[in-house]
PDB file of all heavy atoms in Angstrom:
ATOM      1  N   ASN A  24      28.942 -12.775 -21.797  1.00  0.00           N
ATOM      2  CA  ASN A  24      29.252 -13.481 -20.538  1.00  0.00           C
ATOM      3  C   ASN A  24      28.208 -14.558 -20.286  1.00  0.00           C
ATOM      4  O   ASN A  24      27.071 -14.432 -20.697  1.00  0.00           O
ATOM      5  CB  ASN A  24      29.208 -12.509 -19.350  1.00  0.00           C
ATOM      6  CG  ASN A  24      30.212 -11.390 -19.485  1.00  0.00           C
ATOM      7  OD1 ASN A  24      31.226 -11.528 -20.132  1.00  0.00           O
ATOM      8  ND2 ASN A  24      29.907 -10.261 -18.865  1.00  0.00           N
ATOM      9  N   GLN A  49      -2.245  -8.464  13.875  1.00  0.00           N
ATOM     10  CA  GLN A  49      -2.265  -7.015  14.083  1.00  0.00           C
ATOM     11  C   GLN A  49      -3.163  -6.329  13.056  1.00  0.00           C
ATOM     12  O   GLN A  49      -3.935  -5.426  13.395  1.00  0.00           O
ATOM     13  CB  GLN A  49      -0.860  -6.437  13.986  1.00  0.00           C
ATOM     14  CG  GLN A  49       0.034  -6.801  15.137  1.00  0.00           C
ATOM     15  CD  GLN A  49       1.434  -6.245  14.948  1.00  0.00           C
ATOM     16  OE1 GLN A  49       1.603  -5.126  14.500  1.00  0.00           O
ATOM     17  NE2 GLN A  49       2.431  -7.040  15.283  1.00  0.00           N
ATOM     18  N   TYR A  68     -26.819   6.331  11.890  1.00  0.00           N
ATOM     19  CA  TYR A  68     -27.555   6.740  10.692  1.00  0.00           C
ATOM     20  C   TYR A  68     -28.931   6.074  10.652  1.00  0.00           C
ATOM     21  O   TYR A  68     -29.949   6.747  10.429  1.00  0.00           O
ATOM     22  CB  TYR A  68     -26.746   6.394   9.439  1.00  0.00           C
ATOM     23  CG  TYR A  68     -27.470   6.665   8.146  1.00  0.00           C
ATOM     24  CD1 TYR A  68     -27.579   7.961   7.647  1.00  0.00           C
ATOM     25  CD2 TYR A  68     -28.050   5.633   7.413  1.00  0.00           C
ATOM     26  CE1 TYR A  68     -28.250   8.217   6.463  1.00  0.00           C
ATOM     27  CE2 TYR A  68     -28.727   5.879   6.236  1.00  0.00           C
ATOM     28  CZ  TYR A  68     -28.819   7.171   5.761  1.00  0.00           C
ATOM     29  OH  TYR A  68     -29.493   7.420   4.587  1.00  0.00           O
ATOM     30  N   SER A 120       3.701  -5.050   6.788  1.00  0.00           N
ATOM     31  CA  SER A 120       4.378  -6.066   5.986  1.00  0.00           C
ATOM     32  C   SER A 120       5.735  -5.625   5.451  1.00  0.00           C
ATOM     33  O   SER A 120       6.554  -6.472   5.082  1.00  0.00           O
ATOM     34  CB  SER A 120       3.477  -6.529   4.842  1.00  0.00           C
ATOM     35  OG  SER A 120       3.124  -5.458   4.024  1.00  0.00           O
ATOM     36  N   ASN A 145      11.181 -13.154 -10.250  1.00  0.00           N
ATOM     37  CA  ASN A 145      10.027 -13.461  -9.424  1.00  0.00           C
ATOM     38  C   ASN A 145       8.976 -14.139 -10.296  1.00  0.00           C
ATOM     39  O   ASN A 145       8.465 -13.535 -11.232  1.00  0.00           O
ATOM     40  CB  ASN A 145       9.473 -12.170  -8.818  1.00  0.00           C
ATOM     41  CG  ASN A 145       8.307 -12.412  -7.890  1.00  0.00           C
ATOM     42  OD1 ASN A 145       7.920 -13.539  -7.631  1.00  0.00           O
ATOM     43  ND2 ASN A 145       7.746 -11.336  -7.381  1.00  0.00           N
ATOM     44  N   TYR A 153       8.333 -16.902 -20.191  1.00  0.00           N
ATOM     45  CA  TYR A 153       9.176 -17.990 -20.674  1.00  0.00           C
ATOM     46  C   TYR A 153      10.595 -17.743 -20.210  1.00  0.00           C
ATOM     47  O   TYR A 153      11.053 -16.612 -20.156  1.00  0.00           O
ATOM     48  CB  TYR A 153       9.171 -18.075 -22.204  1.00  0.00           C
ATOM     49  CG  TYR A 153      10.161 -19.091 -22.707  1.00  0.00           C
ATOM     50  CD1 TYR A 153       9.854 -20.437 -22.690  1.00  0.00           C
ATOM     51  CD2 TYR A 153      11.417 -18.706 -23.141  1.00  0.00           C
ATOM     52  CE1 TYR A 153      10.776 -21.371 -23.115  1.00  0.00           C
ATOM     53  CE2 TYR A 153      12.335 -19.638 -23.569  1.00  0.00           C
ATOM     54  CZ  TYR A 153      12.015 -20.976 -23.549  1.00  0.00           C
ATOM     55  OH  TYR A 153      12.928 -21.900 -23.953  1.00  0.00           O
ATOM     56  N   GLU A 162      14.523 -22.878  -1.779  1.00  0.00           N
ATOM     57  CA  GLU A 162      15.070 -23.623  -0.643  1.00  0.00           C
ATOM     58  C   GLU A 162      16.272 -22.906  -0.025  1.00  0.00           C
ATOM     59  O   GLU A 162      16.434 -22.889   1.191  1.00  0.00           O
ATOM     60  CB  GLU A 162      15.435 -25.056  -1.053  1.00  0.00           C
ATOM     61  CG  GLU A 162      14.221 -25.912  -1.403  1.00  0.00           C
ATOM     62  CD  GLU A 162      13.197 -25.987  -0.278  1.00  0.00           C
ATOM     63  OE1 GLU A 162      13.582 -26.153   0.904  1.00  0.00           O
ATOM     64  OE2 GLU A 162      12.000 -25.859  -0.583  1.00  0.00           O
TER      65      GLU A 162
END
Side-chain angles (χ1 to χ4, degrees):
N24 299 334
Q49 289 177 41
Y68 175 78
S120 59
N145 183 3
Y153 173 80
E162 293 304 317

